[in-house]
Each structure stands twice: as structure tokens, then as C-alpha cells.
Amino acid sequence: MDELTIYKNRRRKARLAGTGYLILAFAALPDILRKRLFIPNDPVATSNNILANLSILRLSILGDIVTEISFLFLALCLYSLLKDVRRSASQAMLSMVLIAVTMTVFNTGIEIAAINLFQSTDQLHGFLLLEVFQTLSIPATFFFGLWMLPFGYVCIKSDFMSKFVGFILLIGSCGYVIHAVFQIMSPGTSEHFLFISVIAEVTTIIWLLIFGVKQPCENRKKFNTK
């Protein structure tokens, strides 16, 4: 396979990954929607909010599932792209994503069960399930950060990915992990750490969608052919 074909195949995989990552970026929207309905320490008010806005909550659950499918698609595209650079690190990246996706999709089932309890006027147990749902999202956050570590490492080691993006991913990974740690140790004080991760992920999405992969150094004009 000639260099031009290899470059085009890599660029296609990178842009597919970027598309999946862009869809995944909307994962915050379902969480924003549901947070407006939850009233801490008030099962009655929470139940009233949910019953009055069931379509919003169900839409947020569907959004979670769609974004997790996109997350898995993203990871598979990246694995196909990066496995020949560092196979073990690429496998670690894919494993982290599989764990995060499994945990999050399982968690949506808990949220659906909570809705059913609220509809049957069992406010206390419905609220309890929502508390479980929110608590289980904390360990999942660790894996949302940890998968970026091998991803960033492989980018740094690759000769066709951006090393700058690789270092940004390593920093962004720390943002998620620190956020999860603070959610356990001191809830409600760690939101600002996520800003680091957001910058890292937006940078990565832009790189994957616009540039894809680096062009070979020789005959650069030749490789600009679409």
C-alpha cells in the first residue's frame, strides 16, 4: 500500500472518530436537562418536577444511550487508527471506554426504574434510585478521564498524530479524575476542574475533524489531494 493510500485511510478513520467525538460532546445536554428536575433532599418536589416533565427526562435518557453508542464508535475508530503505533496502549484505551459505556448504560436502567416508581406514586423509593443513579455516575467519571491517558500517550508516540493534542489529552484526563475524587471527598466543590477536560476534548475534536492526521513530510502538496 503506497503512502498516499495509507494517509487517506488514516485521515478517514480520524475524521470518523472526530464525528463520533462531536456527537459525544453533546453528552452534557441530557445531564443539564435532568439536573434541573432534581431537588436535593426533597423527594416530593423532585417527584412533581419529574411527573410534570417526563418527556424531558426520557429524552435525556435516550440522549445518554445515543452518546454512549457514539463513545464506543469513537473508541473503535481510534483503536483501528492507533493500534499499530502502540497496541497495548490502544487496547487499554478501548477497555476503559468499554467499562465507562457499560456503567453508564446500566445506570440509565436505574433512572428508568426510578421514573416507574414515581409514576406509581412511590416517591421515596423513586428518589432513592435517583440518588443511586447520581452516585454511580462518580466511578464512571474516573473512566471518562482514564481512557484519555492511553489515547494521549499513543498520540505522543505516533508520527502522524499531534503531539500537542496528546499532551492536552493527558492534562484533560487529570481534570476528570480530580473531579471524581473531589465528588467523593468534598461534593460540590470540583466543577471547575472539568473546564480543563472540556478544553482538551474540544481541541481534540477540532484536530480530528479538520486535520485528521498529519500529512507526510515529503511531497506535501501531493497529499493535499482530496
Side-chain angles (χ1 to χ4, degrees), residues 1-30:
M1 188 180 295
D2 61 76
E3 287 188 23
L4 179 60
T5 302
I6 292 174
Y7 164 67
K8 286 185 174 181
N9 284 339
R10 285 174 174 170
R11 185 178 62 177
R12 177 180 57 82
K13 291 176 182 178
R15 287 181 171 170
L16 284 173
T19 301
Y21 216 153
L22 182 61
I23 297 172
L24 177 61
F26 289 98
L29 294 179

Side-chain angles (χ1 to χ4, degrees), residues 18-89:
T19 301
Y21 216 153
L22 182 61
I23 297 172
L24 177 61
F26 289 98
L29 294 179
D31 197 44
I32 292 172
L33 289 174
R34 73 166 62 89
K35 279 184 177 179
R36 297 171 61 184
L37 304 178
F38 297 165
I39 309 298
N41 303 316
D42 195 336
V44 176
T46 299
S47 176
N48 292 336
N49 281 346
I50 288 175
L51 293 176
N53 299 277
L54 271 177
S55 59
I56 292 178
L57 188 56
R58 292 188 186 278
L59 182 62
S60 73
I61 295 171
L62 182 61
D64 280 339
I65 295 173
V66 170
T67 52
E68 292 311 307
I69 292 172
S70 300
F71 195 13
L72 184 57
F73 174 77
L74 160 65
L76 290 171
C77 288
L78 289 175
Y79 178 76
S80 178
L81 175 66
L82 301 171
K83 62 183 179 180
D84 293 330
V85 179
R86 291 289 190 278
R87 185 174 293 271
S88 59

Side-chain angles (χ1 to χ4, degrees), residues 179 182 189-197:
H179 170 75
F182 270 82
T189 62
S190 63
E191 293 295 328
H192 55 284
F193 287 108
L194 291 179
F195 184 68
I196 302 171
S197 302

